[in-house]
Amino acid sequence: MKKKLITAILFSGLFFETKAQNVPLPTLDKSPLSEKKEYIETIQKTTFNYFWDFAHPVSGLAPERSATPNVVTSGGSGFGIMCVVVGSHRGWITRKAAVNHLLKVTKFLAKADRFHGAWSHWLDGNTGKVVPFGEKDNGGDLVETAYLVNGLLVARSYFDGNTPDEVFVKKPDYQTLGRRGMGLVCFQRR
Protein backbone atom coordinates (compact mmCIF):
# COMPACT_ATOMS: atom_id res chain seq x y z
CA MET A 1 0.00 0.00 0.00
CA LYS A 2 2.82 2.39 0.93
CA LYS A 3 4.61 1.77 -2.40
CA LYS A 4 1.42 2.46 -4.35
CA LEU A 5 0.90 5.74 -2.51
CA ILE A 6 4.49 6.86 -3.11
CA THR A 7 4.22 5.97 -6.81
CA ALA A 8 0.94 7.89 -7.09
CA ILE A 9 2.46 10.98 -5.47
CA LEU A 10 5.60 10.89 -7.63
CA PHE A 11 3.64 10.69 -10.83
CA SER A 12 0.69 12.91 -10.00
CA GLY A 13 2.33 15.70 -11.97
CA LEU A 14 2.13 13.56 -15.09
CA PHE A 15 -1.63 13.26 -15.04
CA PHE A 16 -3.11 16.33 -13.44
CA GLU A 17 -3.16 19.73 -15.09
CA THR A 18 -1.12 22.11 -12.99
CA LYS A 19 -1.25 25.86 -13.18
CA ALA A 20 1.55 28.21 -12.29
CA GLN A 21 0.66 30.11 -9.14
CA ASN A 22 1.58 33.49 -10.66
CA VAL A 23 4.11 34.01 -7.92
CA PRO A 24 6.54 36.68 -9.10
CA LEU A 25 10.11 35.53 -9.63
CA PRO A 26 12.69 37.05 -7.35
CA THR A 27 14.39 40.07 -8.84
CA LEU A 28 18.05 39.75 -9.52
CA ASP A 29 20.26 41.36 -6.92
CA LYS A 30 22.24 44.02 -8.77
CA SER A 31 24.19 45.22 -5.74
CA PRO A 32 28.01 45.00 -5.84
CA LEU A 33 29.39 41.53 -5.35
CA SER A 34 30.75 40.64 -1.95
CA GLU A 35 33.19 37.77 -1.57
CA LYS A 36 30.34 35.45 -0.53
CA LYS A 37 28.05 36.56 -3.36
CA GLU A 38 30.89 36.23 -5.86
CA TYR A 39 31.57 32.68 -4.65
CA ILE A 40 27.90 31.71 -4.96
CA GLU A 41 27.70 33.34 -8.40
CA THR A 42 30.75 31.35 -9.53
CA ILE A 43 29.28 28.06 -8.29
CA GLN A 44 25.91 28.76 -9.92
CA LYS A 45 27.41 29.77 -13.24
CA THR A 46 29.80 26.80 -13.27
CA THR A 47 26.93 24.41 -12.56
CA PHE A 48 24.89 25.95 -15.36
CA ASN A 49 27.88 25.75 -17.73
CA TYR A 50 28.32 22.04 -17.04
CA PHE A 51 24.76 21.22 -18.08
CA TRP A 52 24.77 23.69 -20.98
CA ASP A 53 28.24 23.07 -22.44
CA PHE A 54 28.24 19.30 -22.05
CA ALA A 55 24.64 18.60 -23.08
CA HIS A 56 24.46 15.76 -25.57
CA PRO A 57 24.39 17.22 -29.10
CA VAL A 58 21.44 15.08 -30.26
CA SER A 59 19.28 14.71 -27.16
CA GLY A 60 20.22 17.83 -25.18
CA LEU A 61 20.32 15.64 -22.05
CA ALA A 62 23.08 15.59 -19.43
CA PRO A 63 25.95 13.13 -19.86
CA GLU A 64 26.35 10.50 -17.16
CA ARG A 65 30.07 11.20 -17.06
CA SER A 66 32.71 12.50 -19.42
CA ALA A 67 34.23 9.03 -19.98
CA THR A 68 30.99 7.82 -21.62
CA PRO A 69 29.75 10.86 -23.54
CA ASN A 70 26.98 9.03 -25.40
CA VAL A 71 25.36 7.76 -22.19
CA VAL A 72 22.93 10.34 -20.82
CA THR A 73 21.17 10.32 -17.48
CA SER A 74 17.47 10.95 -17.05
CA GLY A 75 17.56 12.24 -13.46
CA GLY A 76 20.63 14.39 -13.95
CA SER A 77 18.91 15.88 -16.97
CA GLY A 78 16.08 17.04 -14.72
CA PHE A 79 18.63 19.08 -12.79
CA GLY A 80 20.05 20.26 -16.12
CA ILE A 81 16.63 21.45 -17.24
CA MET A 82 16.34 23.49 -14.05
CA CYS A 83 19.79 24.96 -14.73
CA VAL A 84 18.62 26.03 -18.19
CA VAL A 85 15.71 27.86 -16.57
CA VAL A 86 18.10 29.57 -14.14
CA GLY A 87 20.50 30.41 -16.98
CA SER A 88 17.71 32.06 -18.91
CA HIS A 89 16.48 33.97 -15.86
CA ARG A 90 19.98 35.15 -14.94
CA GLY A 91 20.69 36.26 -18.52
CA TRP A 92 23.49 33.77 -19.14
CA ILE A 93 21.63 32.55 -22.22
CA THR A 94 18.73 34.04 -24.11
CA ARG A 95 15.20 32.89 -23.45
CA LYS A 96 14.99 31.72 -27.08
CA ALA A 97 18.16 29.61 -26.70
CA ALA A 98 16.73 28.02 -23.55
CA VAL A 99 13.42 27.25 -25.26
CA ASN A 100 15.19 25.76 -28.30
CA HIS A 101 17.25 23.54 -26.00
CA LEU A 102 14.14 22.38 -24.14
CA LEU A 103 12.37 21.65 -27.44
CA LYS A 104 15.27 19.37 -28.37
CA VAL A 105 15.04 17.63 -24.98
CA THR A 106 11.26 17.15 -24.99
CA LYS A 107 11.13 15.91 -28.58
CA PHE A 108 13.88 13.41 -27.79
CA LEU A 109 12.16 12.22 -24.60
CA ALA A 110 8.88 11.70 -26.44
CA LYS A 111 10.63 9.08 -28.61
CA ALA A 112 12.93 7.56 -25.96
CA ASP A 113 12.30 4.13 -24.44
CA ARG A 114 9.97 4.12 -21.45
CA PHE A 115 8.55 1.39 -19.28
CA HIS A 116 4.92 2.07 -18.46
CA GLY A 117 5.76 5.75 -18.45
CA ALA A 118 9.09 5.67 -16.61
CA TRP A 119 12.37 6.42 -18.32
CA SER A 120 15.42 4.33 -17.51
CA HIS A 121 18.34 5.62 -15.47
CA TRP A 122 20.60 5.79 -18.54
CA LEU A 123 19.77 6.30 -22.19
CA ASP A 124 21.76 6.28 -25.41
CA GLY A 125 21.96 9.98 -26.27
CA ASN A 126 21.66 9.33 -30.00
CA THR A 127 18.84 6.79 -30.11
CA GLY A 128 16.93 7.02 -26.83
CA LYS A 129 17.40 3.29 -26.25
CA VAL A 130 18.03 1.99 -22.74
CA VAL A 131 21.60 1.60 -21.56
CA PRO A 132 21.27 -0.97 -18.73
CA PHE A 133 22.19 0.33 -15.31
CA GLY A 134 22.95 -3.21 -14.19
CA GLU A 135 22.32 -6.84 -15.09
CA LYS A 136 18.87 -6.87 -13.46
CA ASP A 137 18.19 -3.16 -13.76
CA ASN A 138 17.39 -2.44 -17.37
CA GLY A 139 13.91 -0.91 -17.12
CA GLY A 140 12.17 2.17 -15.83
CA ASP A 141 13.64 4.03 -12.88
CA LEU A 142 11.09 5.83 -10.69
CA VAL A 143 13.55 8.05 -8.85
CA GLU A 144 15.36 9.23 -11.99
CA THR A 145 12.05 9.78 -13.76
CA ALA A 146 10.81 11.85 -10.82
CA TYR A 147 13.89 14.10 -11.04
CA LEU A 148 13.42 14.45 -14.79
CA VAL A 149 9.71 15.24 -14.55
CA ASN A 150 10.41 17.78 -11.79
CA GLY A 151 12.75 19.62 -14.15
CA LEU A 152 10.12 19.52 -16.90
CA LEU A 153 7.50 20.92 -14.53
CA VAL A 154 9.83 23.77 -13.51
CA ALA A 155 10.37 24.61 -17.20
CA ARG A 156 6.65 24.35 -17.84
CA SER A 157 5.97 26.88 -15.10
CA TYR A 158 8.75 29.31 -16.08
CA PHE A 159 8.24 29.46 -19.84
CA ASP A 160 4.85 31.10 -19.93
CA GLY A 161 5.08 33.07 -23.18
CA ASN A 162 2.65 32.75 -26.06
CA THR A 163 5.12 31.96 -28.84
CA PRO A 164 4.48 28.56 -30.46
CA ASP A 165 7.74 27.19 -29.08
CA GLU A 166 7.04 28.29 -25.51
CA VAL A 167 3.52 26.91 -25.73
CA PHE A 168 5.07 23.58 -26.75
CA VAL A 169 7.41 23.64 -23.75
CA LYS A 170 4.68 24.92 -21.44
CA LYS A 171 2.02 22.41 -22.42
CA PRO A 172 3.61 19.08 -23.22
CA ASP A 173 1.18 16.23 -23.41
CA TYR A 174 2.03 14.68 -20.06
CA GLN A 175 -0.73 12.14 -20.60
CA THR A 176 1.18 10.81 -23.62
CA LEU A 177 4.63 11.20 -22.06
CA GLY A 178 3.55 9.16 -19.05
CA ARG A 179 1.80 6.39 -20.92
CA ARG A 180 3.03 3.42 -22.84
CA GLY A 181 1.70 -0.03 -23.41
CA MET A 182 -1.65 -0.44 -21.67
CA GLY A 183 -2.09 3.32 -21.23
CA LEU A 184 -1.15 3.15 -17.55
CA VAL A 185 1.77 4.00 -15.37
CA CYS A 186 2.33 0.82 -13.42
CA PHE A 187 5.30 -1.09 -12.14
CA GLN A 188 5.74 -4.77 -11.58
CA ARG A 189 7.52 -6.41 -8.67
CA ARG A 190 10.34 -8.69 -9.64
Side-chain angles (χ1 to χ4, degrees), residues 67-78:
T68 54
N70 199 46
V71 177
V72 295
T73 176
S74 54
S77 294

Side-chain angles (χ1 to χ4, degrees), residues 59-131:
S59 68
L61 297 174
E64 177 58 29
R65 57 181 70 93
S66 59
T68 54
N70 199 46
V71 177
V72 295
T73 176
S74 54
S77 294
F79 293 107
I81 290 167
M82 288 185 264
C83 283
V84 169
V85 170
V86 169
S88 175
H89 184 68
R90 300 287 298 270
W92 298 329
I93 56 172
T94 65
R95 189 173 180 101
K96 181 149 183 62
V99 168
N100 287 339
H101 180 79
L102 293 171
L103 287 172
K104 179 193 294 191
V105 168
T106 54
K107 288 176 181 178
F108 180 84
L109 289 171
K111 297 176 188 171
D113 285 347
R114 289 188 301 279
F115 299 85
H116 300 290
W119 285 277
S120 66
H121 187 110
W122 291 335
L123 296 165
D124 181 300
N126 288 318
T127 66
K129 299 291 180 201
V130 171
V131 174

Side-chain angles (χ1 to χ4, degrees), residues 20-28 89 157-158 160:
Q21 295 179 350
N22 291 334
V23 176
L25 290 170
T27 56
L28 296 178
H89 184 68
S157 179
Y158 180 78
D160 57 359

Side-chain angles (χ1 to χ4, degrees), residues 153-179:
L153 291 171
V154 167
R156 177 184 187 177
S157 179
Y158 180 78
F159 292 101
D160 57 359
N162 291 322
T163 67
D165 288 344
E166 282 200 36
V167 168
F168 183 84
V169 170
K170 178 172 61 175
K171 295 205 177 270
D173 185 354
Y174 285 101
Q175 296 291 339
T176 301
L177 283 177
R179 292 183 178 178

